Amino acid sequence: MAERRAVDTVESSLVLLTVEEAAQRLRIGRTTCFKLVIAGELESVTVGRLRRVPPDALPAYVAKLRRPSRAA
């Protein structure tokens, strides 16, 4: 249990997440998360040749999903 808390603390202090880590936090598949990143629906940055997701992009994405669409 203490080991899991230590992992949670480290994960919550990360400045950038891998796409896989972002997918885990959103509870979606890795491929779906990559599609969201490629489509620009989920904010990401490039570091060298790597794609990373800022942790604050996750609640921003969820907030977008929760907004009522104007077409409805």
Side-chain angles (χ1 to χ4, degrees):
M1 186 72 163
E3 187 176 312
R4 180 67 192 155
R5 275 185 252 159
V7 171
D8 288 342
T9 302
V10 170
E11 286 180 5
S12 66
S13 67
L14 295 176
V15 176
L16 294 172
L17 305 170
T18 65
V19 176
E20 290 85 356
E21 290 167 338
Q24 288 175 346
R25 288 189 182 191
L26 289 170
R27 304 289 197 259
I28 62 175
R30 174 184 169 275
T31 303
T32 300
C33 196
F34 269 106
K35 287 179 183 178
L36 292 172
V37 165
I38 290 167
E41 293 184 48
L42 179 60
E43 180 190 358
S44 66
V45 297
T46 304
V47 180
R49 294 177 56 198
L50 305 173
R51 179 62 56 181
R52 296 292 184 253
V53 178
D56 62 337
L58 303 180
Y61 171 70
V62 173
K64 276 195 306 188
L65 293 176
R66 296 183 70 173
R67 287 190 203 119
S69 68
R70 294 176 191 237

